[in-house]
Amino acid sequence: MAVLEILEVPHPGLRAVAKPVAVVDDSVRKIVADMFDTMYDARGIGLAATQVAIEQRIVVIDLQETVGEGEDAKAVRTPLVYINPELISVSDETNFYSEGCLSIPEQYAEVERPAACRARWLDEQGEAHEGDFDGLLATALQHEIDHLNGVLFIDHISKLKRDMLLKKLTKMRKAA
Ligand code: NI
């Protein structure tokens, strides 16, 4: 188990464009395992390799959705791996989610994105897949693919909102 350091804004590494994974081998599977350790440790639902200073196109997601109600409610882990993920198409219909990011701690903003998308990717064995995404998973996948291209969720909001959010982050860091 290895928990990696997560880069935070304004680290320039977050603006790097990651390179495609050439061969899905044990070294890639080790990165995937470390990324899950890091994401669960930070209580996140998604992580892109660029956030841990690895410039390869690797994404892990686990929405850890709650199953059951009341005392029986518990978050169930469903780890998902996307290597070299690519959007094939996106819906015209959009929706808004209050997005956060482990690289922009404790800051949230409503981001508008296509409500659904179709993507292709490789799994941990190097097998190719194609599939349709909607709901929170579509949002999470688009957010993480953005990271691989050096794009952050704050790039999707107005400059006014972005400046306010970054100011709050600076204040929070000073208080810590
Ligand atoms: Ni993020």
Side-chain angles (χ1 to χ4, degrees), residues 3-156:
V3 172
L4 309 172
E5 188 193 339
I6 298 174
L7 305 184
E8 293 184 4
V9 285
H11 196 292
L14 292 169
R15 295 305 185 177
V17 177
K19 293 177 190 65
V21 172
V23 183
V24 182
D25 57 13
D26 284 347
S27 73
V28 171
R29 286 186 278 273
K30 167 83 168 85
I31 292 170
V32 167
D34 290 347
M35 284 174 64
F36 275 117
D37 289 342
T38 305
M39 185 191 76
Y40 291 130
D41 179 71
R43 297 172 185 281
I45 62 167
L47 189 71
T50 38
Q51 292 180 275
V52 288
I54 295 170
E55 291 175 14
Q56 299 194 53
R57 301 188 80 81
I58 305 171
V59 161
V60 299
I61 293 174
D62 188 339
L63 302 180
Q64 298 155 76
E65 282 168 319
T66 304
V67 173
E69 278 177 30
E71 280 187 11
D72 296 329
K74 58 175 181 201
V76 175
R77 283 187 178 180
T78 310
L80 302 167
V81 179
Y82 304 96
I83 296 166
N84 296 345
E86 266 179 83
L87 293 177
I88 299 168
S89 61
V90 296
S91 63
D92 292 332
E93 189 200 334
T94 61
N95 62 18
F96 286 87
Y97 263 109
S98 178
E99 293 190 25
C101 181
L102 294 176
S103 295
I104 311 169
E106 291 174 53
Q107 308 303 316
Y108 302 89
E110 293 281 319
V111 177
E112 183 179 22
R113 296 185 189 269
C117 60
R118 184 165 182 80
R120 66 165 77 94
W121 69 95
L122 302 178
D123 66 20
E124 276 183 289
Q125 311 309 324
E127 301 273 337
H129 297 269
E130 206 175 297
D132 293 305
F133 296 80
D134 61 12
L136 181 55
L137 189 54
T139 296
L141 184 63
Q142 291 174 69
H143 175 121
E144 301 309 334
I145 290 176
D146 267 359
H147 272 302
L148 300 180
N149 296 323
V151 175
L152 303 173
F153 84 81
I154 53 174
D155 300 335
H156 292 284

